[in-house]
Amino acid sequence: MKITLFEQAPYRYLPPDFDLHYESVCSTPYFPLVTGDGVYSSIRDFMDELALGARAGFDGIAVTEHGQSSYDMMPNPDLVASAPAHLTETEGLEVAIFPMGRSLGKSREPTRVAEEYAMIDVMSGGRLVAGFPVGLSYDANVNAGVPPMQTRPRFDENLELVLRAWSEREPFAWNGKYSQYPQVNIWPRPLQQPAPPVWLTGVGNPRTMQTCLERGFGFNYLSWFGAKLTGKRIFDRFWDIADQVGVERNPHRMGFLQTVAVAETDERAEREYAEHLEYGFRKGLGSIPPEKLGLPGSIDIRGVQALLKDPGDFGLYYQMRTVTFRELVDAGVVVVGSPATVREQLIEFCRDYRIGNLHAMLAFGSLPRDLTMKNIRLFAEEVAPHLRGLWTDSGFQHHWWPERLGGVPRPVQPSQEEATVR
Amino acid sequence: MTLDATMPAINEEALDVWAGRLTMRVKVAGAGAPLLYLHPAAGLVWDPFLSHLAERYTVYAPEFPGTSAGDPYAIHAVDELADVVLVYEEVTRRLGLTRPVVVGQSFGGMLAAELAAHFPALPEKLVLLDPIGLWRDDVPVSNWIATPPEQLPALLFHDPAGEPAQRTLQPPDDPEAARAATAGMVWAFGCTGKFTWPIPDRGLRNRLHRVAASTLIVWGREDRLIPVAYADEFARLIADSKVVIIDDCGHIPQVERLEETSAAVDAFLQPGPPSSRPAVQPSNRRQP
């Protein structure tokens, strides 16, 4: 079992009534809500916490990309990831650097993505794990201006270009629908050849799952909507597709993000974390308007029909703007309590759904630096050690982790179209 | 003028175009000279305005690629607006239309203007109903694609509680049909949005001088999607054009103010001695 520290970079000092007046993305007014000191300490604490995670023994450090967002000030996760990449190299920490990561449905400069990842892989001495989300509608379509219907095909095309740019021996011309380059020959190339481990991110779209399984990518499920509500649907769907595709049920190909808050006792955990969890989900995800998660054209018409009939994949999302601590716990949006409480729930969940990579989100909303540091330390010392051996005796190898960190990477499979051409 | 026109018999033609990569479905009704109608972003709805036109014309109403029932992925056959314009030109040739009147609403208005700019001899006359396609920083066009569904009525209609608005936005009673209609509209916004997102300006301003057809520009005075200021913008750029502004009217004049809109269009298309013209309230008209 690999366990990463995952954090977003929210602005931590929003007014209490923020969620009554503002959306958390795109339209959120910056200057009335933000001070220089507030944004400096939000980012400074966030970076320090990532560094603590690396030193505390997490297997990886993970971040995501969101532009024009008050809940995750992360216009480019590679800028952030490069800092721990260098820090861990100088301090001799064997930690994966895991941007989850650059949105390829958004990117208008795909070779830049290939270059940034290659650079991080070199800086870290071959410890990059490369995540590629398609991109949420508000980020890809509003922030980057990509027509919603182009998001998915742009992602597909950009992914092929990035994979090729990493490993092709000779400079090549790229005549894509969305980008054209007379000569692609990036410097440097990743140390991990032909590619660092590749992970795609999804929230339940069967097509993304199938792509991961057919091509040998890892699959990250970011469980924002309440794992107790959505987990069984999503994971059963994934493993059913694995059976259909004829791929072994290797738990290491599955990543799962869970918000966790650990304190000395259950009672103390609630007392210390509840208000910050409510802040995080009400003012973050809960304040993203639904239409900005899926603009017309970004979701296949069959997907729209399926969502209208059964919005279950979205779990608690529609109540998130006024959600209470108790509702967050009951839905499994958050796992909160003493180390014993937390590890018991996580072990059961990961075992039941064959999860081989846990991304523990240990900072959220307004959680101050000292409490975040405590959460990270307690999780690293009293929770993670009990989870790490979960799949040790399963007989499955981890093919989606860097070789330097004990993984046994395998080359990705060409896409169906590519296979046909060749 | 007969605005109680009953629904005419509507036939559908399916044309394989674009070297066989795309099937265009065209609703055809009425009798008389040809009239090509290009629908707005939400897809084709056969409404009383079209029934009215079908009393004097043979109305040909193609469905935009991807918006036809059962063929959603047709949209993937076209990627560039210039290709879409060529597809529509091919459709008019395949239908054998000689100098049709071309009428377009909103997104369809942009398409009609593009068609007339690319092929100046194609339209006999051009009618643009609150067309999109231009952009002014001082009066930005509203982003209808990103508008939450519950706010669309207020964006599209001057009186969202009025009967025309309610009739247009009424979902089917059957839940399955209602879901299919919602998904269909969402997808239609996506298909047409391929050529309007993120800013509905693909350079039409630079091409409008090529429009040679006599052009009627109709605008709802209270249009909140694309403000009435754009009427003069179109008129300035199209040489032989005139503007009619409809009062107490939002973005869809042929639905919200059917009588006034039909009267203005009829007067433009069939000029004759004043006595034979449909009655039009003077306050609703403006000659630039």
Side-chain angles (χ1 to χ4, degrees):
Chain A
M1 182 90 162
K2 298 298 181 191
I3 300 163
T4 74
L5 169 64
F6 173 87
E7 278 201 34
Q8 293 185 328
Y11 186 72
R12 299 185 182 190
Y13 310 98
L14 295 171
D17 59 351
F18 172 88
D19 35 302
L20 299 178
H21 303 293
Y22 305 109
E23 297 173 354
S24 57
V25 298
C26 301
S27 66
T28 329
Y30 185 84
F31 289 104
L33 295 171
V34 172
T35 67
D37 287 346
V39 73
Y40 172 79
S41 74
S42 291
I43 295 298
R44 174 65 198 264
D45 291 347
F46 159 75
M47 297 296 291
D48 289 350
E49 290 152 14
L50 294 181
L52 173 65
R55 290 170 181 141
F58 281 84
D59 299 311
I61 300 299
V63 289
T64 43
E65 171 173 341
H66 295 108
Q68 306 201 135
S69 152
S70 60
Y71 73 89
D72 190 15
M73 296 182 286
M74 196 80 74
N76 184 340
D78 293 351
L79 283 174
V80 168
S82 65
H86 180 247
L87 173 102
T88 49
E89 198 60 9
T90 57
E91 296 187 11
L93 301 169
E94 294 296 299
V95 176
I97 306 301
F98 197 164
M100 290 172 43
R102 284 302 305 275
S103 155
L104 289 179
K106 171 186 183 180
S107 178
R108 292 176 181 277
E109 278 192 287
T111 55
R112 173 76 70 191
V113 176
E115 288 166 336
E116 288 170 2
Y117 271 174
M119 197 72 193
I120 293 174
D121 199 47
V122 172
M123 288 166 68
S124 66
R127 289 180 288 117
L128 174 74
V129 183
F132 295 109
V134 175
L136 292 173
S137 242
Y138 81 78
D139 205 20
N141 309 135
V142 178
N143 298 347
V146 170
M149 197 166 272
Q150 269 187 14
T151 311
R152 172 62 75 153
R154 184 182 285 268
F155 172 87
D156 292 341
E157 177 179 307
N158 284 347
L159 181 58
E160 295 319 307
L161 173 56
V162 168
L163 292 171
R164 195 169 163 197
W166 278 342
S167 60
E168 188 81 66
R169 316 303 288 188
E170 302 293 330
F172 62 93
W174 180 262
N175 181 19
K177 192 183 275 187
Y178 305 107
S179 62
Q180 294 179 315
Y181 298 95
Q183 194 164 43
V184 179
N185 180 27
I186 66 166
W187 281 61
R189 306 295 180 93
L191 290 184
Q192 300 179 82
Q193 282 291 321
V198 171
W199 289 71
L200 308 191
T201 306
V203 292
N205 182 343
R207 192 185 143 190
T208 305
M209 296 176 175
Q210 182 158 345
T211 300
C212 288
L213 289 157
E214 285 176 345
R215 302 198 55 191
F217 304 140
F219 175 76
N220 273 323
Y221 173 57
L222 305 195
S223 156
W224 304 114
F225 306 130
K228 287 182 191 166
L229 301 178
T230 61
K232 181 166 171 51
R233 299 163 58 100
I234 302 290
F235 297 121
D236 285 357
R237 190 180 303 160
F238 183 83
W239 295 120
D240 285 350
I241 295 173
D243 293 346
Q244 289 160 23
V245 171
V247 167
E248 64 185 13
R249 292 186 166 217
N250 183 336
H252 298 112
R253 63 169 74 243
M254 172 66 81
F256 168 60
L257 184 147
Q258 175 65 56
T259 303
V260 181
V262 199
E264 291 75 5
T265 64
D266 289 351
E267 182 275 329
R268 187 163 172 185
E270 178 168 352
R271 180 155 41 86
E272 289 180 335
Y273 296 120
E275 65 172 298
H276 304 294
L277 288 164
E278 287 180 350
Y279 175 116
F281 283 92
R282 288 179 186 175
K283 294 173 175 41
L285 184 64
S287 293
I288 306 177
E291 69 276 5
K292 289 212 169 71
L293 288 179
L295 285 162
S298 67
I299 304 173
D300 186 277
I301 186 167
R302 286 170 305 183
V304 175
Q305 283 164 343
L307 285 174
L308 288 170
K309 192 166 187 174
D310 175 8
D313 282 0
F314 282 90
L316 202 63
Y317 164 65
Y318 294 99
Q319 293 96 275
M320 208 64 104
R321 206 165 187 161
T322 55
V323 78
T324 64
F325 172 72
R326 188 50 51 194
E327 289 169 331
L328 289 170
V329 171
D330 290 346
V333 176
V334 300
V335 173
V336 185
S338 70
T341 300
V342 166
R343 66 186 174 234
E344 183 187 331
Q345 288 184 43
L346 291 175
I347 287 170
E348 184 187 343
F349 203 85
C350 292
R351 183 188 291 129
D352 285 355
Y353 296 116
R354 305 187 67 75
I355 293 158
N357 306 270
L358 176 67
H359 308 299
M361 176 157 161
L362 300 176
F364 31 80
S366 51
L367 192 67
R369 176 190 178 96
D370 58 327
L371 279 176
T372 308
M373 297 283 195
K374 175 169 110 168
N375 197 19
I376 291 169
R377 284 200 189 90
L378 275 176
F379 190 95
E381 290 165 10
E382 300 194 33
V383 179
H386 299 265
L387 300 174
R388 207 163 259 120
L390 188 57
W391 302 107
T392 306
D393 301 323
S394 68
F396 288 110
Q397 290 182 309
H398 201 321
H399 302 299
W400 300 270
W401 207 249
E403 190 174 5
R404 177 174 156 185
L405 303 176
V408 188
R410 291 190 300 203
V412 302
Q413 300 301 308
S415 68
Q416 293 297 319
E417 297 87 62
E418 237 183 317
T420 312
V421 171
R422 287 178 183 179
Chain B
M1 182 173 57
T2 52
L3 288 183
D4 53 350
T6 49
M7 179 87 99
I10 300 169
N11 296 310
E12 184 179 286
E13 291 201 31
L15 305 170
D16 289 329
V17 298
W18 209 232
R21 295 190 297 269
L22 176 61
T23 301
M24 289 290 285
R25 289 175 175 78
V26 186
K27 296 275 196 291
V28 185
L35 184 149
L36 182 70
Y37 174 77
L38 305 181
H39 65 72
L44 176 64
V45 174
W46 195 279
D47 58 24
F49 177 66
L50 293 182
S51 296
H52 172 70
L53 292 174
E55 292 187 332
R56 292 190 189 174
Y57 292 92
T58 308
V59 175
Y60 296 85
E63 293 171 345
F64 193 77
T67 68
S68 298
D71 192 14
Y73 304 125
I75 184 57
H76 300 318
V78 280
D79 291 312
E80 306 292 337
L81 179 60
D83 290 348
V84 173
V85 174
L86 291 177
V87 164
Y88 275 77
E89 188 273 343
E90 188 180 345
V91 166
T92 63
R93 266 189 295 124
R94 292 285 303 284
L95 289 167
L97 309 186
T98 306
R99 292 186 61 83
V101 169
V102 178
V103 180
Q105 213 272 306
S106 189
F107 173 80
M110 176 182 90
L111 209 49
E114 290 281 3
L115 196 59
H118 280 78
F119 300 97
L122 189 148
E124 166 72 19
K125 286 187 171 183
L126 181 63
V127 177
L128 305 176
L129 307 169
D130 298 60
I132 60 160
L134 300 179
W135 179 271
R136 273 173 47 175
D137 284 340
D138 59 334
V139 271
V141 180
S142 296
N143 188 340
W144 68 94
I145 297 175
T147 299
E150 67 276 11
Q151 291 173 26
L152 273 178
L155 183 68
L156 297 175
F157 291 94
H158 169 58
D159 177 14
E163 194 274 331
Q166 291 298 312
R167 178 164 34 85
T168 304
L169 300 166
Q170 176 83 35
D173 291 335
D174 173 51
E176 191 68 38
R179 280 195 294 271
T182 302
M185 196 186 96
V186 167
W187 188 248
F189 271 18
C191 292
T192 50
K194 213 172 155 178
F195 308 95
T196 61
W197 185 277
I199 301 288
D201 176 358
R202 290 293 193 274
L204 179 61
R205 177 181 302 278
N206 300 321
R207 295 183 285 273
L208 276 180
H209 69 278
R210 291 171 48 88
V211 174
S214 179
T215 300
L216 174 68
I217 298 156
V218 179
W219 226 283
R221 190 181 296 283
E222 288 80 22
D223 189 339
R224 280 184 283 264
L225 193 151
I226 175 163
V228 68
Y230 283 87
D232 284 342
E233 201 74 13
F234 272 89
R236 195 171 57 79
L237 293 163
I238 301 175
D240 180 8
S241 62
K242 64 177 216 169
V243 172
V244 172
I245 307 292
I246 311 282
D247 286 330
D248 299 323
C249 181
H251 182 63
I252 317 177
Q254 81 278 21
V255 169
E256 190 158 20
R257 288 279 173 254
L258 173 63
E259 289 208 12
E260 293 89 332
T261 305
S262 299
V265 171
D266 289 349
F268 173 71
L269 294 180
Q270 274 109 25
S275 59
S276 70
R277 281 193 199 167
V280 174
Q281 295 298 320
S283 64
N284 288 343
R285 307 192 63 188
R286 183 164 62 90
Q287 305 289 340

